[in-house]
Amino acid sequence: MPLGEFELIRRFFAPAAGHRPDVALGIGDDAAVLRVPAGVELAVTTDTLVAGIHFPPDTAPDAIGHKSLAVSLSDLAAMGAEPAWATLALTVPGVDATWLAAFARGLSALASAHGVALVGGDTTRGPLSITMQALGFLPAGRALRRSGARPGDDLYVTGTLGDAGLALAGLQGRRIVPEDALQALRRRLDTPQPRVAEGLALRDLAVAAIDVSDGLLGDVGHLARASGVGVTIQVDGLPVSDLYRVHMGAECPWDLALTAGDDYELCFAAPAAQAHAVAERFAALRTSVTRIGSVYSGSGVRCQRRDGSAYTPGGTGYDHFAGPVS
Ligand code: ADP
Ligand code: MG
């Protein structure tokens, strides 16, 4: 018997509802009813994932479920927000119970890892597309914006850059990557881990932050513009994985780390006087953090080699309407 819309929602998405006492009414009515604690501001973000654009068409359904929430949690992390609730607008070509079960499993696992309750959504038929909205809590007036960087601040990034971009380049045949390395790199592309704890830890340390989703260079450009400052990135010090180092080869080793998307790391500015506190805070989290540059009075983003010479990357980051520039 074909699965009806309501049975589908009950079977696959009710398990992601979780058990949060601040959900007065979750999945099942015309709208969710949520209790916002006193003194809290809500951070709200929405992202759409389209098959073939935001993930390769052959991506495993549980990875698609994971990634559809991960990208939104990454946005909340960049605001310093604590994730609480999510809604899901899902468009699927048909009812494929195996696909839906795997998608929901990936989504539910990440939701429960971060204590997020799925409180509602919409389910329609059409070409595969997933729109996730996530809502998170912020102490009133304490959002980590893009606009707070000042001349003299240091610029940092968490984790490593470029693995997801290298995976995509390998899958698309733009670079030759051996199969075992490709599998490992692909985990970064398919199941990014949003830096939620790191975002919370940055609340009283960072003065500006952004998540790196469309390529470091472009995203740092957004932060610089919003803050009305210029940023210098020291390319020799960019954090990359061992796999990246090995498989990018000698020529243009930084370009994917600078311009490829899907890293979902946090990039932030902090006053130079906080350098010790930043190092300590991230050591406690067991997350690597690297100072990648500095903020100056001016505008734009410039890349520099160790000897002070300018470095011109072979691309500028991903823009859905302009397309990749390379
Ligand atoms: P309505 O027609 O009143 O909008 P729907 O039939 O779209 O109601 O949805 C019924 C209930 O199921 C609502 O509470 C809605 O939020 C929830 N819902 C629908 N699709 C999803 C989904 N993909 N994930 C989570 N909840 C969903
Ligand atoms: Mg509806």
Side-chain angles (χ1 to χ4, degrees):
M1 198 179 78
L3 219 57
E5 180 187 336
F6 298 105
E7 176 57 14
L8 178 158
I9 294 164
R10 197 189 61 76
R11 189 191 299 183
F12 298 115
F13 296 109
H19 301 281
R20 288 185 64 105
D22 51 18
V23 179
L25 195 55
I27 294 173
D29 215 305
D30 293 313
V33 179
L34 306 168
R35 299 190 185 99
V36 184
V40 158
E41 288 176 348
L42 280 184
V44 182
T45 176
T46 303
D47 275 289
T48 295
L49 269 62
V50 176
I53 295 178
H54 299 92
F55 53 87
D58 71 339
T59 304
D62 53 339
I64 300 173
H66 172 104
K67 189 168 181 177
S68 61
L69 181 60
V71 301
S72 292
L73 296 189
S74 178
D75 280 325
L76 291 183
M79 301 302 293
E82 177 197 337
W85 308 309
T87 65
L88 165 68
L90 177 65
T91 303
V92 283
V95 178
D96 175 342
T98 310
W99 190 96
L100 281 166
F103 173 87
R105 197 165 53 239
L107 168 60
S108 299
L110 187 66
S112 89
H114 291 281
V116 172
L118 185 68
V119 297
D122 196 25
T123 308
T124 53
R125 192 186 293 266
L128 180 60
S129 158
I130 304 123
T131 297
M132 188 73 71
Q133 181 182 55
L135 301 95
F137 297 165
L138 280 165
R142 300 284 306 283
L144 265 181
R145 303 177 179 208
R146 296 178 177 183
S147 54
R150 296 293 171 258
D153 288 346
D154 290 328
L155 191 77
Y156 297 87
V157 73
T158 60
T160 60
L161 300 168
D163 278 0
L166 180 53
L168 192 62
L171 290 171
Q172 294 176 340
R174 287 182 282 119
R175 289 203 78 87
I176 310 290
V177 183
E179 192 53 35
D180 57 335
L182 191 56
Q183 289 308 321
L185 291 164
R186 192 160 179 180
R187 280 195 281 279
R188 288 290 309 269
L189 178 67
D190 287 349
T191 50
Q193 300 299 325
R195 298 292 195 181
V196 173
E198 291 78 3
L200 293 176
L202 286 175
R203 271 181 182 171
D204 58 343
L205 270 184
V207 290
I210 189 167
D211 72 319
V212 183
S213 55
D214 293 332
L216 180 74
L217 206 52
D219 289 326
V220 169
H222 297 316
L223 185 146
R225 217 167 6 259
S227 295
V229 296
V231 170
T232 305
I233 295 175
Q234 303 289 344
V235 291
D236 296 274
L238 288 176
V240 295
S241 70
D242 291 340
L243 278 176
Y244 181 97
R245 217 182 304 278
V246 168
H247 295 290
M248 278 299 281
E251 89 288 10
C252 67
W254 301 290
D255 283 10
L256 288 178
L258 280 168
T259 63
D262 278 322
D263 292 313
Y264 299 104
E265 296 292 352
L266 295 183
C267 178
F268 61 95
Q274 297 282 20
H276 191 68
V278 168
E280 275 196 334
R281 195 74 58 92
F282 279 81
L285 287 170
R286 298 177 185 280
T287 302
S288 68
V289 67
T290 307
R291 179 177 174 262
I292 58 165
S294 53
V295 179
Y296 64 90
S297 174
S299 65
V301 182
R302 56 186 192 206
C303 295
Q304 210 172 56
R305 297 295 312 273
R306 194 173 284 121
D307 63 9
S309 63
Y311 177 76
T312 309
T316 56
Y318 197 81
D319 178 324
H320 280 280
F321 294 97
V325 184
S326 55

